Amino acid sequence: MPTTPGSPGPQHTVRHTPSAPDATPEDTTAQVRTLIVDDDFMVARVHRGLVERVPGFTVVGEARTGAEALDMVARSRPDLVLLDIYLPDMNGIEVLRALRASGGEDLPEVDALVITAARDSETVRHALRGGAVQYLIKPFEPALLTERLRDYARLRRDLATGDAADQDAVDRAFGTARSASRPAKVMPKGLTSPTAELVERALRTRAARSGEAGTEDLSATECAAATGLSRVSARRYLEYFAESGRVEVRLRYGTAGRPERRYRWSG
């Protein structure tokens, strides 16, 4: 479903509510009340299970449509919404705008973590402008959602102290928007710059073929063949690039076994 352009809204505003002194995500007094919005009830149930396994998070409900999501936000007053973009009555960007437009009069302030198959740049821009705190592209590995939720809980703690925020806390708060401008992570032990450049060239060469459907990404096996590295070594470099935000990872599902991880250079 296409999105419709709109005026930019507040960016990266993280809501926090008072909690017990020295609260941590494991404290029951600091529970992050979470609403799951997805029209596929099986997907919603999977997300519920993942959320409920993260200490400090509790699911307060599931919504199948945008209208139901807005109604449940008003009634349940969650802290965080896991928001799909493709909904039957309105898209998730419209839901996000409605949450921001209320100004706290009809709807409480709430943070949104977008989880969707939508990967077009326009939708991502609208999500950023609408104040989404994170954006996960389906399909993804469960550990990635767990990591995002823990990051969100840590960010709430950073901003819930009542003290002036230091630069590290501010950097974490604006990390999603600024990640592209941050310096690359220190290369892990055992990896070398020349080999990393070799893998990067293989990824860039494959990405340049993006006009041919299905040929713009690489598996670890294909990267190994293109660079002369072992499959294990190729995967280590590919995962390093993925962790530094320079490679997009998608999962290709076959008929049996684990899904294949495929890597696409994003710069």
Side-chain angles (χ1 to χ4, degrees):
M1 181 182 300
T3 60
T4 54
S7 59
Q11 298 184 33
H12 312 291
T13 302
V14 177
R15 173 181 177 266
H16 61 84
T17 53
S19 57
D22 302 320
T24 70
E26 290 76 12
D27 296 330
T28 57
T29 55
Q31 292 287 302
V32 178
R33 295 166 52 80
T34 307
L35 173 67
I36 297 171
V37 182
D38 199 297
D39 65 326
D40 187 324
F41 78 94
M42 289 298 294
V43 171
R45 291 299 169 87
V46 170
H47 292 173
R48 172 189 279 269
L50 292 173
V51 171
E52 290 181 336
R53 282 198 285 271
V54 179
F57 285 79
T58 184
V59 176
V60 297
E62 299 175 15
R64 302 284 177 261
T65 68
E68 187 178 3
L70 294 174
D71 178 65
M72 293 187 71
V73 167
R75 290 188 291 107
S76 302
R77 308 187 73 81
D79 301 300
L80 179 67
V81 174
L82 302 192
L83 181 62
D84 191 12
I85 295 297
Y86 299 126
L87 300 172
D89 56 340
M90 64 177 78
N91 65 44
I93 297 300
E94 293 171 315
V95 173
L96 193 55
R97 288 175 181 155
L99 292 172
R100 298 295 176 249
S102 73
E105 297 177 3
D106 302 317
L107 297 170
E109 292 183 358
V110 61
D111 294 321
L113 191 163
V114 174
I115 301 181
T116 181
R119 55 194 307 151
D120 60 285
S121 58
E122 183 181 17
T123 299
V124 175
R125 283 197 303 271
H126 287 318
L128 280 168
R129 291 169 180 170
V133 295
Q134 287 284 356
Y135 194 111
L136 277 182
I137 297 175
K138 299 176 182 175
F140 56 86
E141 293 192 348
L144 193 56
L145 176 56
T146 298
E147 178 187 350
R148 295 296 188 270
L149 293 174
R150 287 174 174 165
D151 287 345
Y152 174 76
R154 182 165 56 249
L155 179 55
R156 279 169 56 90
R157 293 200 308 275
D158 285 344
L159 301 181
T161 62
D163 299 327
D166 60 21
Q167 188 63 54
D168 287 342
V170 172
D171 285 345
R172 284 191 293 272
F174 287 88
T176 301
R178 296 177 52 188
S179 59
S181 64
R182 289 181 179 179
K185 292 183 177 181
V186 176
M187 191 165 291
K189 184 177 180 180
L191 303 189
T192 66
S193 295
T195 306
E197 291 172 3
L198 181 65
V199 172
E200 179 180 335
R201 281 198 299 273
L203 287 162
R204 286 181 178 274
T205 299
R206 183 59 66 97
R209 297 166 55 187
S210 58
E212 305 172 40
T215 65
E216 66 273 16
D217 54 20
L218 281 169
S219 68
T221 299
E222 292 165 343
C223 183
T227 59
L229 298 172
S230 69
R231 182 182 178 280
V232 172
S233 294
R235 175 156 183 162
R236 286 193 66 197
Y237 282 94
L238 291 168
E239 290 296 331
Y240 161 71
F241 283 130
E243 290 173 7
S244 63
R246 287 177 283 174
V247 161
E248 295 175 358
V249 180
R250 71 179 181 90
L251 304 181
R252 176 186 287 178
Y253 291 88
T255 56
R258 293 184 176 181
E260 180 185 48
R261 291 175 66 83
R262 300 194 63 83
Y263 305 83
R264 182 181 186 279
W265 183 259
S266 60

